[in-house]
Amino acid sequence: MRGLVLGGGGLTGIAWETGLLHGLAEAGLDLPGTADHILGTSAGATVGGQLASGLPLSELHLRQTDPARQNHEIVPPLETVGQVLETWNALIAELTDPVELRRRIGRLALDADTVPAAERRAVITGRLPAHDWPARPLTLVAVDAHTGEPRTFDRHSGVPLIDAVAASCAIPGIWPTVEIDDHRYMDGGIRSNTNADLMTGQQAVLIIAPMTDHNLAGELETLRTTGAVLALTPDEDALAAFGVNPLDPAVRAPAAEAGRAQAHRVADQVRELWA
């Protein structure tokens, strides 16, 4: 059993992950087609949803690099992004209980003055080439903005794929929370940028993480108790391509191309894991 974990990282993360998967496919490694389970968080939820369409990775890559095929995105001011990150960092410094931290961030999410939910949902709808859950196991992670508890969505949840992706991508303070079953949900990255510990029990797990946090080391340790694991993070060229605002649509093409190039440099490592 092989698991593929797709982590969060904004528009740059979507583009870099797509480019990386495309480059690995060019190297003979069809990870989405051979993974037994895919787990997506935030940007990774978008990529997982796009993979569910069945479009070839070459086409998904063009949707990141070709301006004529790129989806319309709402661009939050860089100042707003900076203020939100500053608030998060202050809460992280203040609180040691992770659940209480998520609850406090949830209050920020619920109180934030954001774009209308329908406008944001239209963006998510446009990102996804198809709107049905795939038959292959795909799990997406979000966090309840009131309780701070995580919730996973899959094709058995009775929740539309668009809503599950939107919930997993609802960055607190930037985008509106998403209402599902009378609960309000926010970005799954508030629990962990990868939530890779939810992929236990696999013989091999590949983690693709555009951004990392303090949870990753422990998640790697947990996964290694049951199988082999490899985490891929952006190399220096990719980080340079990302720029300063991960939500800037202008960085999609360079981030995707950086991911594609990096894939060919790490293909042997991935091949060894996936064998």
Side-chain angles (χ1 to χ4, degrees), residues 58-80:
S58 57
E59 176 64 24
L60 294 177
H61 184 261
L62 282 173
R63 286 168 60 92
Q64 297 297 319
T65 58
D66 181 357
R69 306 188 193 201
Q70 289 174 339
N71 184 53
H72 165 71
E73 295 286 345
I74 306 167
V75 186
L78 181 58
E79 180 182 0
T80 300

Side-chain angles (χ1 to χ4, degrees), residues 9 11-13 15-17 65 210 234-262 265:
L11 294 180
T12 56
W16 177 76
E17 290 182 25
T65 58
D235 60 16
E236 289 185 7
D237 290 344
L239 291 174
F242 283 9
V244 296
N245 183 358
L247 302 181
D248 181 1
V251 301
R252 286 178 289 186
E257 293 295 3
R260 182 183 185 183
Q262 183 177 350
R265 294 191 286 270

Side-chain angles (χ1 to χ4, degrees), residues 6 19 22 26 41 44 56 58 60 62 66 78 81 89 93 110 114 124 126-127 139 147 150 175 197 221 234-235 275:
L6 304 171
H22 175 43
E26 290 178 319
T41 298
S58 57
L60 294 177
L62 282 173
D66 181 357
L78 181 58
V81 176
N89 289 333
L110 293 165
T114 67
I124 301 299
R127 285 182 185 174
T139 301
T147 67
W175 307 127
D197 58 308
E221 187 174 333
D235 60 16

Side-chain angles (χ1 to χ4, degrees), residues 53-130:
S53 70
L55 286 180
L57 283 162
S58 57
E59 176 64 24
L60 294 177
H61 184 261
L62 282 173
R63 286 168 60 92
Q64 297 297 319
T65 58
D66 181 357
R69 306 188 193 201
Q70 289 174 339
N71 184 53
H72 165 71
E73 295 286 345
I74 306 167
V75 186
L78 181 58
E79 180 182 0
T80 300
V81 176
Q83 289 171 347
V84 168
L85 291 176
E86 185 177 340
T87 302
W88 291 359
N89 289 333
L91 290 173
I92 290 169
E94 175 188 347
L95 301 169
T96 57
D97 181 349
V99 178
E100 180 58 25
L101 173 61
R102 295 196 294 268
R103 288 177 184 150
R104 290 281 293 275
I105 293 177
R107 290 178 210 161
L108 168 70
L110 293 165
D111 294 340
D113 181 16
T114 67
V115 300
E119 186 176 346
R120 174 61 176 167
R121 192 177 192 274
V123 170
I124 301 299
T125 301
R127 285 182 185 174
L128 303 180

Side-chain angles (χ1 to χ4, degrees), residues 177-195:
T177 56
V178 176
E179 183 173 0
I180 298 173
D181 299 335
D182 297 323
H183 289 255
R184 307 292 304 190
Y185 290 96
M186 61 181 177
D187 198 304
I190 299 305
R191 178 183 183 268
S192 161
N193 274 345
T194 59
N195 290 295

